[in-house]
Amino acid sequence: MEGKVVTVILLSSIICGVYAKEHVPVLIWNTQQSQEGLPAVSALQFMNYGTFQAKYLEPFKPKNILLFLQDALSVEDLSSHASELHHVSQWMESSHSLYLPNVEEAAHLAHDLPSHGYNVVVLEPGVPSAGLNLKQQDKNLVVVKLPSTLTNPSRRRAIQKADEVMENVISKIGAQREFTVIFTGLKPSVEEHSEQYEERIRVARSLQAVSAGLPGYYNTSCVLLYLHNNTVVTLTHQNSTDSEVLVVDEGQSMGEAIGHCPGTADDKTANILIKYQNVESNKNHTYGKVKFQLNFEMANKGWTLTGVNGSFDTTEIYFKPISSEISGIPIFMSYACTQKVTFTAAVNNNTGSSNGLVKLVLGGVQMHPFTVKGKFGGAWDCVGFFTVSIWISLLATLLMVTILSVGMYMLSDIKTMDRFDDPKGQPIMVPNTD
């Protein structure tokens, strides 16, 4: 009996230990390196440390890391104190950045990276960083412990102080060499099931947890749009294999959005116009004004993306989606796709001539027109339920069931003898001639 009790206690301790692991938000940015192909992150996804390091930190290939550790940090701090973290917001907008809302024990980086060859330097609160000595040829990890926020009676002031310390450190040592900057916490500041948590209940979104002011998120009066990755425009001129490529980086060239809503009851259209400035192509040609207008139409309690009007200085282009999957979406739902969404069109310049093929690629998008709720509705995902993997699994299972059924039928059809020899009677004679 005692052994069973001990076993139950041990199992309970293990389960509690698994669920007791604390998750904190992580902000990563780098002013030099551009990362592509990063997996999308759901706002409610809880990510373990191994996944965070292998799939999200490794693509940055950081040689020098500047790790800011706060004693407590939650998603609510980032959303409720955006003005106090204005330096962080500016760095995220002007750099190649990544936002992960729930990472398990992210502060373990300070203990794990030294085993990967990083030279570790720790800056305690109040210690000046002017005389920081970094090794030139080695990989360096600078751990900056931010002032305590839990002992400060004003949460707002504590967050503002942390932002000021980060700005001071980056201004002094950030210029010495290229750094990948990470901002995270030791534990969440808002505990689950606490009064603060109930007051600041989080809203689920289908893609990343985005809010106004973050790169790629546009919120107009009746159209919501989130561009997850870069927008790429490729122009291939006739009689030439060389292409001109424009990459609109939301982290560096965040545009301005203007929305149009239906003006009357008979008006069933809406659009969102996004403007960018000074977009450079791979031909070292800078376009002063780049515009994309996404046009939507409502019919039969559903909405459709009819096309995209593109403007590149004096060149006007109309794009149409390759597939018709962005159509018939229920009016109360948004369209979400973490894969690339491609549009094509023939270039039609002011002279009306067609001089090449244009391709517009959105590297992950979520959109919801005809809404005034200020948040995305349930996601109508571009990847349906029956994917290739599911079809293969179903077909393999069906084949195995068919083989098993045929075998069972053949076994049940075997006929056994219904007469046997009686040792006291005449033997059974089976004639062997016709």
Side-chain angles (χ1 to χ4, degrees):
M1 184 64 181
E2 292 181 358
K4 294 182 179 179
V5 173
V6 173
T7 303
V8 172
I9 294 176
L10 289 175
L11 290 176
S12 302
S13 301
I14 294 174
I15 294 174
C16 291
V18 171
Y19 286 94
K21 291 183 178 179
E22 297 174 327
H23 294 76
V24 293
V26 176
L27 302 179
I28 308 175
W29 65 87
N30 189 303
T31 59
Q32 303 295 328
Q33 294 175 314
S34 176
Q35 294 71 40
E36 297 181 357
L38 293 175
V41 183
S42 170
L44 298 182
Q45 177 182 348
F46 287 84
M47 184 183 305
N48 59 43
Y49 175 79
T51 303
F52 158 64
Q53 186 181 29
K55 294 186 177 181
Y56 294 92
L57 182 59
E58 285 297 330
F60 281 84
K61 297 180 176 58
K63 179 179 180 182
N64 298 294
I65 299 178
L66 189 56
L67 176 61
F68 290 102
L69 285 181
Q70 190 167 297
D71 55 355
L73 184 67
S74 292
V75 175
E76 288 77 10
D77 292 323
L78 303 179
S79 59
S80 302
H81 302 287
S83 59
E84 283 74 24
L85 292 170
H86 65 279
H87 289 110
V88 174
S89 300
Q90 292 176 359
W91 291 322
M92 292 288 288
E93 292 178 6
S94 61
S95 307
H96 306 285
S97 59
L98 178 64
Y99 167 59
L100 305 174
N102 296 292
V103 179
E104 175 188 289
E105 298 180 342
H108 186 63
L109 283 171
H111 305 283
D112 181 50
L113 292 180
S115 62
H116 292 75
Y118 280 84
N119 172 46
V120 181
V121 179
V122 180
L123 291 180
E124 298 287 347
V127 177
S129 58
L132 184 65
N133 185 20
L134 299 178
K135 296 183 178 180
Q136 296 293 330
Q137 304 300 326
D138 296 341
K139 296 189 292 185
N140 295 280
L141 169 64
V142 180
V143 181
V144 181
K145 295 183 179 180
L146 298 174
S148 175
T149 59
L150 297 178
T151 58
N152 196 319
S154 172
R155 186 70 184 170
R156 183 193 65 81
R157 177 55 187 158
I159 296 297
Q160 184 178 8
K161 180 62 176 177
D163 182 80
E164 293 173 356
V165 172
M166 285 189 284
E167 195 278 333
N168 183 44
V169 172
I170 291 180
S171 64
K172 290 182 178 180
I173 70 172
Q176 295 185 16
R177 64 192 65 202
E178 179 184 335
F179 272 93
T180 295
V181 185
I182 303 175
F183 175 40
T184 186
L186 297 174
K187 66 176 184 178
S189 60
V190 179
E191 300 292 342
E192 190 175 356
H193 307 304
S194 66
E195 294 182 1
Q196 288 178 304
Y197 183 86
E198 297 298 332
E199 292 175 358
R200 304 175 187 176
I201 186 70
R202 300 174 188 174
V203 179
R205 296 193 179 104
S206 299
L207 290 181
Q208 289 183 321
V210 292
S211 60
L214 290 181
Y217 180 74
Y218 302 98
N219 184 358
T220 63
S221 55
C222 63
V223 179
L224 290 177
L225 177 66
Y226 176 47
L227 300 175
H228 178 55
N229 286 316
N230 298 336
T231 300
V232 180
V233 180
T234 304
L235 170 62
T236 303
H237 296 280
Q238 289 183 343
N239 303 323
S240 175
T241 58
D242 198 10
S243 300
E244 184 178 10
V245 180
L246 285 77
V247 179
V248 181
D249 188 346
E250 292 292 336
Q252 292 185 344
S253 306
M254 187 174 179
E256 299 179 359
I258 302 174
H260 163 73
C261 298
T264 62
D266 297 331
D267 188 3
K268 303 295 183 180
T269 62
N271 62 57
I272 181 171
L273 175 64
I274 309 174
K275 302 178 181 180
Y276 303 93
Q277 293 183 350
N278 301 325
V279 179
E280 187 175 353
S281 71
N282 63 333
K283 301 294 186 181
N284 295 325
H285 176 251
T286 300
Y287 291 85
K289 295 181 179 180
V290 176
K291 302 177 183 178
F292 296 106
Q293 177 177 298
L294 283 71
N295 303 308
F296 304 94
E297 184 176 313
M298 179 172 52
N300 299 326
K301 297 183 179 180
W303 61 269
T304 300
L305 176 63
T306 58
V308 179
N309 291 97
S311 175
F312 307 88
D313 288 342
T314 59
T315 303
E316 303 289 336
I317 307 170
Y318 183 72
F319 301 93
K320 281 191 174 183
I322 290 182
S323 63
S324 59
E325 63 182 17
I326 316 180
S327 62
I329 312 297
I331 197 67
F332 57 87
M333 297 189 70
S334 64
Y335 174 82
C337 191
T338 56
Q339 301 178 354
K340 294 181 179 180
V341 181
T342 305
F343 303 78
T344 58
V347 173
N348 192 6
N349 55 22
N350 294 336
T351 62
S353 63
S354 177
N355 65 344
L357 181 65
V358 167
K359 182 169 67 173
L360 170 67
V361 179
L362 303 180
V365 65
Q366 185 170 10
M367 59 186 76
H368 195 177
F370 307 104
T371 177
V372 293
K373 295 182 179 180
K375 64 179 182 180
F376 289 111
W380 183 284
D381 203 279
C382 61
V383 179
F385 177 76
F386 286 97
T387 60
V388 175
S389 301
I390 294 178
W391 275 116
I392 292 176
S393 301
L394 290 176
L395 292 176
T397 303
L398 180 62
L399 179 61
M400 294 178 62
V401 170
T402 302
I403 295 174
L404 180 61
S405 301
V406 172
M408 295 296 293
Y409 173 77
M410 295 177 67
L411 287 175
S412 64
D413 195 49
I414 296 177
K415 296 180 179 180
T416 58
M417 295 177 58
D418 56 358
R419 296 184 62 191
F420 301 91
D421 284 333
D422 184 1
K424 297 181 180 181
Q426 293 292 331
I428 297 176
M429 303 298 296
V430 178
N432 55 9
T433 59
D434 294 336

Short mmCIF file of all heavy atoms in Angstrom, two decimals, residues 143-184:
data_model
loop_
_atom_site.label_atom_id
_atom_site.label_comp_id
_atom_site.label_asym_id
_atom_site.label_seq_id
_atom_site.Cartn_x
_atom_site.Cartn_y
_atom_site.Cartn_z
N VAL A 143 25.00 39.00 -21.28
CA VAL A 143 23.76 38.86 -20.52
C VAL A 143 23.58 40.12 -19.67
O VAL A 143 24.41 40.41 -18.81
CB VAL A 143 23.77 37.61 -19.62
CG1 VAL A 143 22.47 37.49 -18.85
CG2 VAL A 143 24.03 36.36 -20.46
N VAL A 144 22.51 40.85 -19.94
CA VAL A 144 22.23 42.08 -19.22
C VAL A 144 21.02 41.84 -18.32
O VAL A 144 19.90 41.59 -18.82
CB VAL A 144 21.95 43.26 -20.18
CG1 VAL A 144 21.69 44.53 -19.39
CG2 VAL A 144 23.12 43.44 -21.13
N LYS A 145 21.24 41.87 -17.03
CA LYS A 145 20.14 41.70 -16.08
C LYS A 145 19.50 43.06 -15.83
O LYS A 145 20.12 43.97 -15.28
CB LYS A 145 20.66 41.09 -14.79
CG LYS A 145 21.20 39.67 -14.97
CD LYS A 145 21.64 39.07 -13.64
CE LYS A 145 22.16 37.64 -13.84
NZ LYS A 145 22.59 37.03 -12.55
N LEU A 146 18.26 43.19 -16.24
CA LEU A 146 17.54 44.46 -16.11
C LEU A 146 17.10 44.68 -14.67
O LEU A 146 16.98 43.73 -13.89
CB LEU A 146 16.33 44.46 -17.04
CG LEU A 146 16.65 44.34 -18.54
CD1 LEU A 146 15.38 44.19 -19.34
CD2 LEU A 146 17.45 45.54 -19.02
N PRO A 147 16.88 45.94 -14.29
CA PRO A 147 16.43 46.23 -12.92
C PRO A 147 15.15 45.49 -12.57
O PRO A 147 14.31 45.25 -13.44
CB PRO A 147 16.23 47.75 -12.93
CG PRO A 147 17.10 48.24 -14.05
CD PRO A 147 17.10 47.17 -15.08
N SER A 148 15.00 45.17 -11.31
CA SER A 148 13.84 44.41 -10.86
C SER A 148 12.56 45.19 -11.08
O SER A 148 12.48 46.40 -10.84
CB SER A 148 13.98 44.07 -9.37
OG SER A 148 12.82 43.43 -8.88
N THR A 149 11.55 44.48 -11.57
CA THR A 149 10.23 45.10 -11.76
C THR A 149 9.24 44.66 -10.69
O THR A 149 8.24 45.34 -10.47
CB THR A 149 9.67 44.74 -13.15
OG1 THR A 149 9.56 43.31 -13.25
CG2 THR A 149 10.58 45.25 -14.25
N LEU A 150 9.49 43.53 -10.06
CA LEU A 150 8.55 43.02 -9.06
C LEU A 150 8.58 43.83 -7.77
O LEU A 150 7.59 43.89 -7.04
CB LEU A 150 8.87 41.55 -8.76
CG LEU A 150 8.71 40.58 -9.94
CD1 LEU A 150 9.10 39.17 -9.53
CD2 LEU A 150 7.28 40.60 -10.47
N THR A 151 9.72 44.44 -7.48
CA THR A 151 9.83 45.25 -6.27
C THR A 151 9.41 46.70 -6.48
O THR A 151 9.34 47.47 -5.53
CB THR A 151 11.27 45.21 -5.74
OG1 THR A 151 12.15 45.70 -6.75
CG2 THR A 151 11.67 43.80 -5.35
N ASN A 152 9.15 47.07 -7.72
CA ASN A 152 8.74 48.44 -8.04
C ASN A 152 7.22 48.55 -7.90
O ASN A 152 6.49 47.78 -8.51
CB ASN A 152 9.17 48.81 -9.45
CG ASN A 152 9.12 50.30 -9.71
OD1 ASN A 152 8.18 50.99 -9.29
ND2 ASN A 152 10.12 50.81 -10.40
N PRO A 153 6.71 49.48 -7.10
CA PRO A 153 5.25 49.59 -6.94
C PRO A 153 4.52 49.99 -8.21
O PRO A 153 3.34 49.73 -8.36
CB PRO A 153 5.11 50.66 -5.84
CG PRO A 153 6.37 51.46 -5.91
CD PRO A 153 7.44 50.49 -6.31
N SER A 154 5.22 50.63 -9.14
CA SER A 154 4.60 51.06 -10.39
C SER A 154 5.11 50.16 -11.52
O SER A 154 6.29 50.22 -11.89
CB SER A 154 4.92 52.52 -10.69
OG SER A 154 4.47 52.88 -11.98
N ARG A 155 4.24 49.32 -12.05
CA ARG A 155 4.62 48.44 -13.16
C ARG A 155 4.99 49.25 -14.39
O ARG A 155 5.94 48.92 -15.11
CB ARG A 155 3.48 47.48 -13.47
CG ARG A 155 3.81 46.41 -14.52
CD ARG A 155 4.78 45.41 -13.95
NE ARG A 155 5.21 44.43 -14.95
CZ ARG A 155 6.19 43.56 -14.75
NH1 ARG A 155 6.84 43.55 -13.60
NH2 ARG A 155 6.54 42.70 -15.68
N ARG A 156 4.25 50.31 -14.64
CA ARG A 156 4.51 51.14 -15.80
C ARG A 156 5.91 51.75 -15.72
O ARG A 156 6.67 51.74 -16.68
CB ARG A 156 3.46 52.25 -15.89
CG ARG A 156 3.59 53.16 -17.11
CD ARG A 156 2.73 54.39 -16.98
NE ARG A 156 3.19 55.22 -15.87
CZ ARG A 156 4.21 56.08 -15.97
NH1 ARG A 156 4.89 56.19 -17.08
NH2 ARG A 156 4.55 56.81 -14.92
N ARG A 157 6.25 52.28 -14.56
CA ARG A 157 7.56 52.90 -14.38
C ARG A 157 8.68 51.86 -14.48
O ARG A 157 9.75 52.14 -15.02
CB ARG A 157 7.61 53.63 -13.03
CG ARG A 157 8.95 54.26 -12.71
CD ARG A 157 9.41 55.20 -13.79
NE ARG A 157 10.76 55.68 -13.58
CZ ARG A 157 11.55 56.15 -14.53
NH1 ARG A 157 11.09 56.20 -15.79
NH2 ARG A 157 12.76 56.57 -14.27
N ALA A 158 8.42 50.65 -13.97
CA ALA A 158 9.43 49.60 -14.03
C ALA A 158 9.71 49.19 -15.47
O ALA A 158 10.87 48.99 -15.86
CB ALA A 158 8.97 48.40 -13.21
N ILE A 159 8.66 49.08 -16.28
CA ILE A 159 8.83 48.72 -17.70
C ILE A 159 9.58 49.84 -18.43
O ILE A 159 10.45 49.59 -19.26
CB ILE A 159 7.47 48.45 -18.35
CG1 ILE A 159 6.79 47.22 -17.71
CG2 ILE A 159 7.62 48.24 -19.85
CD1 ILE A 159 7.53 45.93 -17.91
N GLN A 160 9.23 51.08 -18.11
CA GLN A 160 9.91 52.21 -18.74
C GLN A 160 11.39 52.23 -18.39
O GLN A 160 12.24 52.52 -19.23
CB GLN A 160 9.23 53.51 -18.31
CG GLN A 160 9.79 54.75 -18.98
CD GLN A 160 9.07 56.02 -18.55
OE1 GLN A 160 8.24 55.99 -17.65
NE2 GLN A 160 9.38 57.12 -19.20
N LYS A 161 11.72 51.92 -17.14
CA LYS A 161 13.11 51.88 -16.71
C LYS A 161 13.87 50.79 -17.46
O LYS A 161 15.03 51.00 -17.87
CB LYS A 161 13.18 51.63 -15.19
CG LYS A 161 14.58 51.56 -14.63
CD LYS A 161 15.36 52.86 -14.80
CE LYS A 161 16.72 52.78 -14.15
NZ LYS A 161 17.50 54.02 -14.36
N ALA A 162 13.25 49.63 -17.65
CA ALA A 162 13.90 48.55 -18.40
C ALA A 162 14.18 48.97 -19.84
O ALA A 162 15.25 48.68 -20.39
CB ALA A 162 13.02 47.30 -18.37
N ASP A 163 13.25 49.70 -20.45
CA ASP A 163 13.44 50.18 -21.82
C ASP A 163 14.60 51.17 -21.87
O ASP A 163 15.41 51.15 -22.81
CB ASP A 163 12.15 50.82 -22.32
CG ASP A 163 12.26 51.30 -23.75
OD1 ASP A 163 12.14 50.45 -24.65
OD2 ASP A 163 12.48 52.52 -23.96
N GLU A 164 14.70 52.04 -20.88
CA GLU A 164 15.80 53.01 -20.84
C GLU A 164 17.15 52.32 -20.68
O GLU A 164 18.15 52.73 -21.32
CB GLU A 164 15.57 53.99 -19.69
CG GLU A 164 14.36 54.90 -19.89
CD GLU A 164 14.07 55.73 -18.66
OE1 GLU A 164 14.78 55.53 -17.64
OE2 GLU A 164 13.15 56.57 -18.70
N VAL A 165 17.21 51.28 -19.86
CA VAL A 165 18.47 50.55 -19.67
C VAL A 165 18.87 49.87 -20.97
O VAL A 165 20.05 49.91 -21.38
CB VAL A 165 18.33 49.54 -18.54
CG1 VAL A 165 19.56 48.63 -18.47
CG2 VAL A 165 18.13 50.25 -17.20
N MET A 166 17.91 49.25 -21.67
CA MET A 166 18.23 48.60 -22.94
C MET A 166 18.74 49.60 -23.96
O MET A 166 19.70 49.34 -24.69
CB MET A 166 16.99 47.87 -23.46
CG MET A 166 16.67 46.58 -22.73
SD MET A 166 15.36 45.60 -23.52
CE MET A 166 13.94 46.54 -23.03
N GLU A 167 18.11 50.78 -24.02
CA GLU A 167 18.56 51.80 -24.96
C GLU A 167 19.97 52.28 -24.63
O GLU A 167 20.79 52.48 -25.53
CB GLU A 167 17.57 52.97 -24.92
CG GLU A 167 17.70 53.95 -26.09
CD GLU A 167 18.80 54.96 -25.90
OE1 GLU A 167 19.12 55.26 -24.72
OE2 GLU A 167 19.35 55.44 -26.90
N ASN A 168 20.27 52.38 -23.35
CA ASN A 168 21.60 52.84 -22.92
C ASN A 168 22.67 51.81 -23.27
O ASN A 168 23.75 52.14 -23.77
CB ASN A 168 21.58 53.11 -21.41
CG ASN A 168 22.91 53.65 -20.92
OD1 ASN A 168 23.52 54.51 -21.53
ND2 ASN A 168 23.38 53.12 -19.80
N VAL A 169 22.38 50.54 -23.03
CA VAL A 169 23.36 49.48 -23.30
C VAL A 169 23.59 49.34 -24.80
O VAL A 169 24.74 49.26 -25.26
CB VAL A 169 22.89 48.14 -22.69
CG1 VAL A 169 23.80 47.00 -23.13
CG2 VAL A 169 22.85 48.23 -21.17
N ILE A 170 22.52 49.33 -25.58
CA ILE A 170 22.67 49.14 -27.02
C ILE A 170 23.40 50.33 -27.64
O ILE A 170 24.21 50.17 -28.57
CB ILE A 170 21.29 48.93 -27.67
CG1 ILE A 170 20.72 47.57 -27.24
CG2 ILE A 170 21.37 49.01 -29.19
CD1 ILE A 170 19.36 47.26 -27.81
N SER A 171 23.14 51.53 -27.15
CA SER A 171 23.82 52.70 -27.71
C SER A 171 25.32 52.68 -27.43
O SER A 171 26.10 53.24 -28.20
CB SER A 171 23.21 53.98 -27.12
OG SER A 171 23.42 54.04 -25.72
N LYS A 172 25.73 52.01 -26.35
CA LYS A 172 27.15 51.99 -25.99
C LYS A 172 27.91 50.81 -26.58
O LYS A 172 29.04 50.95 -27.04
CB LYS A 172 27.30 52.00 -24.47
CG LYS A 172 26.90 53.32 -23.83
CD LYS A 172 27.12 53.30 -22.33
CE LYS A 172 26.76 54.63 -21.70
NZ LYS A 172 26.96 54.63 -20.23
N ILE A 173 27.30 49.62 -26.55
CA ILE A 173 28.04 48.44 -27.03
C ILE A 173 27.48 47.88 -28.31
O ILE A 173 28.12 47.04 -28.96
CB ILE A 173 28.06 47.33 -25.96
CG1 ILE A 173 26.65 46.74 -25.79
CG2 ILE A 173 28.58 47.85 -24.65
CD1 ILE A 173 26.64 45.52 -24.90
N GLY A 174 26.29 48.32 -28.71
CA GLY A 174 25.70 47.76 -29.93
C GLY A 174 26.46 48.16 -31.18
O GLY A 174 26.43 47.45 -32.18
N ALA A 175 27.15 49.30 -31.14
CA ALA A 175 27.89 49.76 -32.32
C ALA A 175 29.24 49.07 -32.47
O ALA A 175 29.89 49.20 -33.50
CB ALA A 175 28.09 51.27 -32.25
N GLN A 176 29.67 48.33 -31.45
CA GLN A 176 30.99 47.70 -31.53
C GLN A 176 31.04 46.60 -32.59
O GLN A 176 32.01 46.41 -33.28
CB GLN A 176 31.37 47.11 -30.17
CG GLN A 176 31.56 48.16 -29.09
CD GLN A 176 32.04 47.54 -27.79
OE1 GLN A 176 32.51 46.40 -27.79
NE2 GLN A 176 31.92 48.28 -26.70
N ARG A 177 29.94 45.89 -32.72
CA ARG A 177 29.86 44.80 -33.70
C ARG A 177 28.41 44.41 -33.90
O ARG A 177 27.52 44.94 -33.23
CB ARG A 177 30.68 43.60 -33.24
CG ARG A 177 30.16 42.96 -31.96
CD ARG A 177 31.14 41.98 -31.39
NE ARG A 177 32.35 42.69 -30.98
CZ ARG A 177 33.52 42.09 -30.83
NH1 ARG A 177 33.64 40.81 -31.09
NH2 ARG A 177 34.58 42.77 -30.42
N GLU A 178 28.19 43.49 -34.82
CA GLU A 178 26.82 43.06 -35.12
C GLU A 178 26.30 42.16 -34.00
O GLU A 178 26.92 41.17 -33.63
CB GLU A 178 26.80 42.30 -36.44
CG GLU A 178 25.43 41.79 -36.83
CD GLU A 178 25.48 40.96 -38.09
OE1 GLU A 178 26.42 41.17 -38.88
OE2 GLU A 178 24.61 40.10 -38.27
N PHE A 179 25.13 42.51 -33.46
CA PHE A 179 24.52 41.76 -32.38
C PHE A 179 23.13 41.27 -32.79
O PHE A 179 22.40 41.97 -33.50
CB PHE A 179 24.37 42.62 -31.12
CG PHE A 179 25.57 42.60 -30.22
CD1 PHE A 179 26.56 43.57 -30.34
CD2 PHE A 179 25.72 41.62 -29.26
CE1 PHE A 179 27.67 43.57 -29.51
CE2 PHE A 179 26.82 41.61 -28.43
CZ PHE A 179 27.80 42.58 -28.55
N THR A 180 22.80 40.07 -32.35
CA THR A 180 21.42 39.60 -32.34
C THR A 180 20.89 39.84 -30.94
O THR A 180 21.41 39.30 -29.97
CB THR A 180 21.32 38.11 -32.71
OG1 THR A 180 21.75 37.92 -34.06
CG2 THR A 180 19.88 37.63 -32.57
N VAL A 181 19.85 40.65 -30.82
CA VAL A 181 19.35 41.08 -29.52
C VAL A 181 18.13 40.24 -29.15
O VAL A 181 17.23 40.03 -29.99
CB VAL A 181 18.98 42.58 -29.52
CG1 VAL A 181 18.58 43.03 -28.12
CG2 VAL A 181 20.15 43.40 -30.04
N ILE A 182 18.09 39.78 -27.91
CA ILE A 182 16.98 38.97 -27.39
C ILE A 182 16.49 39.63 -26.11
O ILE A 182 17.27 39.96 -25.23
CB ILE A 182 17.41 37.52 -27.12
CG1 ILE A 182 18.00 36.87 -28.39
CG2 ILE A 182 16.24 36.70 -26.59
CD1 ILE A 182 18.55 35.48 -28.15
N PHE A 183 15.19 39.81 -26.01
CA PHE A 183 14.55 40.38 -24.82
C PHE A 183 13.52 39.39 -24.30
O PHE A 183 12.58 39.02 -25.01
CB PHE A 183 13.89 41.71 -25.17
CG PHE A 183 13.12 42.32 -24.03
CD1 PHE A 183 13.59 42.28 -22.72
CD2 PHE A 183 11.89 42.95 -24.27
CE1 PHE A 183 12.88 42.85 -21.67
CE2 PHE A 183 11.17 43.52 -23.23
CZ PHE A 183 11.67 43.46 -21.94
N THR A 184 13.71 38.91 -23.07
CA THR A 184 12.78 37.94 -22.48
C THR A 184 12.82 38.08 -20.97
O THR A 184 13.45 38.99 -20.43
CB THR A 184 13.16 36.51 -22.91
OG1 THR A 184 12.16 35.60 -22.44
CG2 THR A 184 14.50 36.10 -22.35
#
